[in-house]
Amino acid sequence: MARPLSLGVLLSGSGTNLQALIDAVAARQLDAQIAVVVSNEATAYGLVRAREHGISTEIVAHGVFRSRAAFDARLVEVLRAHGVELVVLAGFMRLVTPVLLGAFPARVVNIHPALLPAFPGLHAERQALAHGARITGVTVHFVDEHADHGPIIVQVAVPILPDDDEARLHLRIQRQEHRAYARAIQLIAEGRVRIEGRRVLIDGDTADAEAALASPPFAQRTSP
Ligand code: GRF
């Protein structure tokens, strides 16, 4: 079997997506190893999760750098020192610059809690609710120089329920995030992912031509 893909996970917060990746590796659903977890926030709970699983951690506090480029240059040093091949943004609350993207071309991925290009930026669930969308979801994409913009690898649709608030919707979206991120990274680990312009082509993609998620569901009857 091929050598596992070496991941560097960048995060700023609780790290439930990191946890899902740790679990997917342990369950042998993901042929990868997490070489290092890097945070710009010393108190990020994701660092605790990493340490509990014996994964190396590094704190790179953005405040001490003159510029975003200088901060990214330090990130590149840390990631290279750990032999990272794929950079995984998992709730990393900093915009990355060409310094990082140039060091890992087409090798930086991100996850966003909406079906991009709908609802980019912060509070995607709040935006979807405010818009009255009936379906939102999850996007895993390659990172380019624009926020929440690069070529899309995996999307998962999630219906918005009548009594949803931001917290409830967030929890359901996160459950799908945790599946989607491992899936996308596994496709990359298997060498099945190719970028062509804005499109990502996946070897052996078996999309179901008849599949659809309707909200409300097609089958629902409202009268006797
Ligand atoms: C996720 O919802 C992800 O989509 C967004 O940041 C959040 C990180 O959550 N980019 P967690 O720290 O992995 O729990």
Side-chain angles (χ1 to χ4, degrees):
M1 207 180 73
R3 191 173 54 82
L5 184 68
S6 179
L7 311 181
V9 178
L10 270 50
L11 54 75
S12 305
S14 94
T16 67
N17 279 285
L18 166 68
Q19 187 67 54
L21 296 180
I22 293 171
D23 295 345
V25 170
R28 296 172 178 266
Q29 289 159 359
L30 178 55
D31 301 324
Q33 56 127 346
I34 302 172
V36 64
V37 172
V38 186
S39 181
N40 61 314
E41 299 285 353
T43 56
Y45 188 68
L47 292 169
V48 176
R49 294 180 195 271
R51 288 181 199 122
E52 277 173 357
H53 289 84
I55 299 169
S56 302
T57 60
E58 299 266 1
I59 297 160
V60 182
H62 57 274
V64 304
F65 293 90
R66 277 176 291 108
S67 63
R68 291 194 350 224
F71 171 65
D72 275 12
R74 177 63 191 143
L75 290 179
V76 170
E77 268 176 24
V78 168
L79 294 165
R80 285 201 172 133
H82 288 271
V84 166
E85 297 165 301
L86 182 72
V87 181
V88 177
L89 308 185
F92 185 58
M93 301 306 284
R94 310 298 300 170
L95 290 176
V96 300
T97 71
V99 172
L100 181 76
L101 298 174
F104 293 93
R107 275 291 179 269
V108 183
V109 292
N110 183 44
I111 189 160
H112 183 76
L115 292 174
L116 290 172
F119 314 126
L122 293 176
H123 309 300
E125 294 93 339
R126 194 184 302 172
Q127 293 183 55
L129 287 165
H131 193 84
R134 304 200 68 99
I135 294 179
T136 181
V138 172
T139 302
V140 180
H141 63 95
F142 286 107
V143 175
D144 66 10
E145 56 277 22
H146 308 288
D148 300 327
H149 178 268
I152 292 169
I153 310 164
V154 169
Q155 289 190 305
V156 184
V158 175
I160 295 178
L161 305 183
D163 58 351
D164 265 347
D165 58 17
E166 198 177 339
R168 271 193 291 265
L169 179 57
H170 176 69
L171 275 179
R172 289 208 321 288
I173 284 182
Q174 281 224 308
R175 281 208 291 276
Q176 300 309 320
E177 287 194 323
H178 298 161
R179 305 168 70 198
Y181 224 175
R183 170 81 175 130
I185 295 169
Q186 177 61 17
L187 289 171
I188 295 170
E190 290 173 8
R192 291 169 57 188
V193 170
R194 197 155 42 89
I195 304 176
E196 233 181 62
R198 271 218 54 88
R199 295 189 68 197
V200 170
L201 305 181
I202 297 172
D203 273 359
D205 189 352
T206 51
D208 177 351
E210 298 305 320
L213 173 67
S215 172
F218 290 137
Q220 199 170 42
R221 295 210 173 172
T222 49
S223 52

